[in-house]
Amino acid sequence: TSMLSNLYSAIAVMAALGVDLRSITILSVMCLIAHNLILETMVQQKSGAKASFIVPLRISASILTGFILNWLLPEQMSGPLMFEASPTQPQSWNEVFINWFYVTIPLTIKMVAIIVGLNVLQNVLREFGIIDLLIYPLRPFIKFFGLNTSTSFLWIVANTLGLAYGAAVMIEEGESGKVTKRDVDLLNSHIAISHSNFEDLFLLSAMGATWYVLLFSRWIGSFILVWELRAEYYIKDKLFKKNC
């Protein structure tokens, strides 16, 4: 559901399934890595990435991360859940509808409140130029992830607005020539695994998923991927110079 649609649809499915906290956390990480693939791949493709690379990357990274978390996370995880796990299936359509209603209504209200609040905050940050002020202190952080500081603004857009909402900015910056193709490729590889760490993270955390697992598991994955790609570029550059 998340791969073909968006996270809201995936949240609805998880709520209907009534899975436990551990499963919610693992599924949430997998959905955060691989969701809305059709639209978001188009955005990344417009900004310079290749769909033939991005789609397999996100799907394989999602599955691999799910396996690793299933191995690492404790069998019993405690914490607040938006809905209760339901091991038994309802026996009638009335029970199905009642169960759906009582799960969906409070979840919808909470999601709407979070989305509206975040959109207001984002508009305020843009209006007063605060996003631009955030770029400078984040430069060491950007370098730590193996990215060029010229991609700092794009990184902020991808991590706050997401790929879908930040599509116009992503495409404009990608086509402007302000950043090199290699830097765009590294950024697209990073945000393919880790993006939208604002709204989507809040939504899934509100459901009960463990926020630091959602965040750091994807940061670690994107860190490893980008530095591995940088090593590949370094080796290729050395071989090219040697052949010349």
Side-chain angles (χ1 to χ4, degrees), residues 180-228:
T180 66
K181 185 182 183 305
R182 179 171 292 187
D183 290 334
V184 170
D185 288 341
L186 290 172
L187 175 69
N188 272 315
S189 299
H190 172 92
I191 63 179
I193 295 177
S194 178
H195 66 269
S196 196
N197 288 317
F198 197 49
E199 177 184 321
D200 292 346
L201 198 68
F202 272 102
L203 287 174
L204 291 166
S205 298
M207 287 182 58
T210 308
W211 71 268
Y212 53 85
V213 176
L214 305 186
L215 181 62
F216 291 118
S217 62
R218 292 180 298 125
W219 273 0
I220 292 170
S222 60
F223 175 88
I224 294 171
L225 174 63
V226 170
W227 281 105
E228 189 275 331

Side-chain angles (χ1 to χ4, degrees), residues 145-147 182 186 189 222-240:
F145 278 116
L147 303 173
R182 179 171 292 187
L186 290 172
S189 299
S222 60
F223 175 88
I224 294 171
L225 174 63
V226 170
W227 281 105
E228 189 275 331
L229 289 173
R230 286 180 67 94
E232 284 187 27
Y233 290 144
Y234 178 80
I235 294 170
K236 289 178 181 178
D237 290 344
K238 286 291 184 182
L239 291 174
F240 177 77

Side-chain angles (χ1 to χ4, degrees), residues 36 39-40 43 161-168 195:
N36 208 5
L39 176 60
E40 292 189 350
V43 173
L161 302 180
L163 295 181
Y165 293 140
H195 66 269

